[in-house]
Amino acid sequence: MDSLITAAARALAAGDPLGALKRVALRGDAPALALRGIAMAQLGDLGRATALLRSAARAFGRKEAVARARCVVAQAEIALVSRDLTWPAKALDAARATLEAHGDRINAAHARNVEIRRLLLIGRLDEAESKLAVLDSTPLPPASKAAHELVVAGIAIRRLQTKAAREALTRARHAASEADIPALTAEVERAFLLLVTPAARLIARGEERLLLLEEIEALPGSGALVVDACRNIVRDERLAVPLASRPVLFALARALGEAWPGDVPRAILVARAFRARHADESHRARLRVEIGRLRAAIRTLADVKATKRGFALMPRRAREIAVLAPPVEEQHPAVLAFLADGESWSSSALAIALGASPRTVQRALEQLAAAGKVQSYGRGRARRWMTPPVPGFPTILLLPGPLPGD
Amino acid sequence: MKKSAAEILREYGPFPGAEQVHGVTFDGRHVWFASGDRLNALDPSSGQTVRSIDVAAHAGTAFDGKHLFQIAEDRIQKIDPKTGHVVATIPTPGGGDSGLAWAEGTLWVGQYRDRKIHQIDPETGAILRTIESSRFVTGVTWVDGELWHATWEGDESEIRQIDHETGEVLEVLAMPAGVSVSGLESDGGDQLFCGGGSSGKVRAIRRPRRESR
């Protein structure tokens, strides 16, 4: 390695990207381009950084496979941090294989970690989990280790596994303090906040209270029948009945759940389920049909009993009924209920699942996106929608040093 | 051209606080190695570092019998090893200088990616002569009238003896796969000391004896 590159790399490692740039600003050889790229990324000019790293990857000779692969991994990480999810995953995978083949275990593990972060970000939880299972995080330096544990925590939170999430965040906190990068520590602390921030409201016997993630996780074991308005399911300890694709039935179940142990007048049920201000005879007939359908759907969990003024829910096994609702009532709850599984959805799949027209779903998604409640990636038919990510995506860059001979 | 595998006689380090080893040189007793912000003196018999000088040390290192020469950024510092003071500074010939050697009153500087070795005036830094190599040049050393240089290219390292007039490769010692050589110095006898880059190690390898000697 040459002297100026070494001096620049040292400046970069010491958190002085300007010092690094000063030393190699006028040089156009491959290591200088790579260093300039990383320095620009640290200065926040991600567009210029990507262009520089791309030319660096080209400028490294065919034989300098490791240096090239590191440039590719750095580009992928910049793409991830700037939420450019169209970045080709295949190139990252090939770079990781190259690094592995050349014994660069640290950067190979780093590349794998970037790949898993991307999968989590685009809501492919199963794939992210299976890749995580085979990733050996031992060679990772503390900073990358913290990023890795954030991903583990992110998946656990999506899966409502609070204990696993807390353990992963504790390990992330430890690694971040070892790495001694304040931005990373802040990232971990922000993720910890999710565990102490109410994630839902519980409505039971006419009273409301906010629930933490942990309490939501414990809910199925509490013996109560839960009408879950976050995911549009009705469940007790043993069984869950999904009603996400049947919004009318769910609206009825929710209204009945909120009133339990009382009943709900027909007019109110009509208003809640059909959004009709005044119930006429046709509404009443329709209500009877829908109540019949609800009764059939949740038969194993509860009965729907007719009362003098309307209907009431009678749990079969559970002694309590509670409604779980988002902390703040959202627009388009049915759409959000589907996206609450943390996976990514195409709008056409959502339309089929919701039994709504693609145009209606598209409009709902656009409104939700404008409000920051959902996000999309990809274009045209490949476009996918998901709820905004939980932790697992440190916005800080932990780029590999793409230099040969070091 | 003779080609054989390099025979590693001994490995030193890694050393605490020295993540990378750049240039190496030998003052007759100690192996000096550059580790970024320090020059360190290693006792090759015990394997212990016995001294260090706080000075920017980013690439090649050389010894003229009295002073240490050390490349830092775009200059060559002349250092009095007794006091640790920089007594003079000259510019490096290129922008990407790597190896450094002293021989017969002049300095020899390897220019890494330009695959060149320059002979320069140690007083002014003026280039006296340039030899082209076919590989990236890391370390450079002279011993018994033989010019040797190390390469690290395509994730492979070799130590090559070249003809100092024509640049023709006379002999090649191949390092094991993935083992890099960042700096090179002879002990004046049968050993060559090699800086080990990011491995943080210094290695001693056997210099082949030629029958004519």
Side-chain angles (χ1 to χ4, degrees):
Chain A
M1 186 50 52
D2 73 56
S3 181
L4 274 174
I5 292 290
T6 303
R10 291 180 63 85
L12 204 53
D16 177 15
L18 289 172
L21 282 175
K22 193 183 79 187
R23 289 172 173 91
V24 291
L26 298 175
R27 283 178 52 172
D29 57 295
L33 287 169
L35 262 170
R36 283 164 57 193
I38 291 183
M40 290 313 283
Q42 293 193 347
L43 289 170
D45 187 346
L46 300 184
R48 183 93 192 99
T50 305
L52 282 163
L53 283 163
R54 198 180 299 130
S55 16
R58 266 200 306 268
F60 278 119
R62 247 190 328 139
K63 283 173 142 188
E64 295 171 278
V66 170
R68 282 190 147 189
R70 290 181 189 170
C71 288
V72 171
V73 176
Q75 282 177 73
E77 191 177 352
I78 292 171
L80 180 75
V81 166
S82 49
R83 300 293 184 263
D84 171 13
L85 301 173
T86 56
W87 202 85
K90 267 189 200 152
L92 176 60
D93 200 46
R96 183 190 49 72
T98 302
L99 292 169
E100 240 156 45
H102 284 81
D104 185 350
R105 289 172 64 224
I106 294 177
N107 286 312
H110 184 71
R112 175 71 86 188
N113 209 24
V114 169
E115 190 183 337
I116 297 171
R117 281 162 71 190
R118 183 175 174 278
L119 286 173
L120 178 53
L121 182 62
I122 63 177
R124 279 153 65 176
L125 293 192
D126 289 341
E127 275 173 81
E129 254 175 344
S130 68
K131 297 224 156 144
L132 205 56
V134 296
L135 169 65
D136 177 14
S137 66
T138 350
L140 289 174
S144 306
K145 185 133 190 144
H148 169 74
E149 294 296 352
L150 278 172
V151 179
V152 176
I155 293 180
I157 288 175
R158 289 272 202 210
R159 297 278 196 222
L160 262 185
Q161 294 158 349
T162 328
K163 187 163 171 279
R166 194 180 301 278
E167 285 166 0
L169 286 177
T170 306
R171 290 191 298 268
R173 183 185 266 163
H174 183 74
S177 82
E178 221 177 303
D180 199 21
I181 302 174
L184 194 57
T185 304
E187 202 93 43
V188 175
E189 294 311 317
R190 264 201 298 285
F192 259 113
L193 281 183
L194 279 176
L195 297 181
V196 296
T197 305
R201 277 178 306 145
L202 188 73
I203 308 162
R205 292 184 181 269
E207 281 178 22
E208 270 191 41
R209 66 185 180 91
L210 290 168
L211 291 192
L212 301 180
L213 219 49
E214 211 162 24
E215 298 171 296
I216 299 170
E217 185 184 0
L219 215 49
S222 70
L225 179 72
V226 178
V227 182
D228 180 344
C230 299
R231 290 161 198 245
N232 290 16
I233 56 178
V234 181
R235 62 160 198 251
D236 68 4
E237 255 171 309
R238 292 189 220 167
L239 201 69
V241 175
L243 290 177
S245 57
R246 306 176 80 176
V248 170
L249 298 196
F250 187 80
L252 292 172
R254 178 171 177 180
L256 293 169
E258 281 175 12
W260 188 86
D263 61 350
V264 185
R266 285 182 185 78
I268 292 180
L269 287 175
V270 163
R272 296 269 304 253
F274 311 137
R275 308 234 165 109
R277 206 163 291 170
H278 303 290
D280 59 23
E281 223 13 76
S282 74
H283 282 124
R284 283 169 185 272
R286 200 173 147 207
L287 179 64
R288 268 196 303 280
V289 172
E290 297 292 355
I291 288 286
R293 285 179 180 156
L294 176 65
R295 192 176 279 138
I298 63 169
R299 198 175 54 239
T300 47
L301 293 169
D303 187 21
V304 185
K305 198 183 64 172
T307 63
K308 209 174 274 173
R309 0 178 248 163
F311 294 93
L313 218 46
M314 302 278 289
R316 298 232 183 261
R317 290 180 293 269
R319 265 172 290 149
E320 284 283 322
I321 295 186
V323 172
L324 190 69
V328 179
E329 282 307 329
E330 315 265 16
Q331 256 186 318
H332 308 295
V335 174
L336 287 172
F338 271 104
L339 296 176
D341 66 358
E343 308 272 341
S344 58
W345 288 76
S346 68
S347 65
S348 53
L350 275 175
I352 292 166
L354 284 162
S357 83
R359 186 68 209 116
T360 306
V361 171
Q362 196 64 40
R363 228 185 340 258
L365 286 168
E366 275 157 18
Q367 282 172 13
L368 287 168
K373 307 279 188 205
V374 300
Q375 63 180 33
S376 69
Y377 68 94
R379 278 175 209 287
R381 290 159 65 92
R383 192 167 199 190
R384 294 290 179 277
W385 295 84
M386 73 203 95
T387 49
V390 287
F393 320 97
T395 39
I396 153 171
L397 286 159
L398 304 164
L399 304 164
L403 307 171
D406 70 349
Chain B
M1 181 188 80
K2 248 172 79 180
K3 185 162 178 167
S4 56
E7 187 189 341
I8 297 175
L9 302 171
R10 190 164 172 188
E11 284 194 342
Y12 304 94
F15 308 93
E19 275 153 32
Q20 300 215 2
V21 172
H22 306 293
V24 286
T25 195
F26 186 64
D27 68 6
R29 272 181 66 206
H30 297 132
V31 176
W32 290 85
F33 65 90
S35 65
D37 50 10
R38 273 203 330 260
L39 260 171
N40 312 273
L42 165 74
D43 177 349
S45 54
S46 72
Q48 299 296 311
T49 46
V50 293
R51 244 196 98 183
S52 71
I53 298 174
D54 286 334
V55 64
H58 301 139
T61 315
F63 183 67
D64 70 355
K66 199 173 168 205
H67 291 100
L68 291 162
F69 291 86
Q70 176 60 51
I71 302 181
E73 300 201 18
D74 53 359
R75 55 192 195 275
I76 300 171
Q77 309 167 109
K78 185 177 179 181
I79 300 153
D80 182 343
K82 288 194 198 76
T83 62
H85 292 152
V86 176
V87 295
T89 301
I90 55 170
T92 57
D97 310 281
S98 50
L100 192 63
W102 172 270
E104 311 296 331
T106 57
L107 281 169
W108 297 72
V109 186
Q111 222 181 326
Y112 183 55
R113 294 186 76 87
D114 289 341
R115 303 185 173 98
K116 284 177 184 155
I117 299 169
H118 301 290
Q119 183 187 13
I120 65 165
D121 181 327
E123 298 298 322
T124 63
I127 298 176
L128 307 172
R129 181 148 74 104
T130 297
I131 303 169
E132 306 269 346
S133 169
S134 58
R135 290 294 206 96
F136 290 168
V137 179
T138 56
V140 188
T141 193
W142 275 94
V143 53
D144 289 347
E146 300 170 9
L147 175 60
W148 290 80
H149 87 77
T151 76
W152 169 251
E153 185 167 346
D155 305 323
E156 290 170 356
S157 243
E158 288 175 356
I159 292 156
R160 307 174 141 205
Q161 189 203 342
I162 59 171
D163 184 311
H164 65 89
E165 298 289 344
T166 62
E168 185 199 341
V169 182
L170 305 174
E171 175 150 18
V172 171
L173 308 175
M175 293 297 278
V179 175
S180 71
V181 179
S182 56
L184 188 66
E185 179 66 294
S186 127
D187 72 344
D190 290 348
Q191 290 185 64
L192 292 167
F193 293 113
C194 307
S198 64
S199 69
K201 290 181 181 174
V202 173
R203 297 184 177 89
I205 65 163
R206 187 185 301 285
R207 177 170 70 104
R209 278 274 176 208
R210 224 164 303 290
E211 280 154 27
S212 59
R213 262 197 311 246

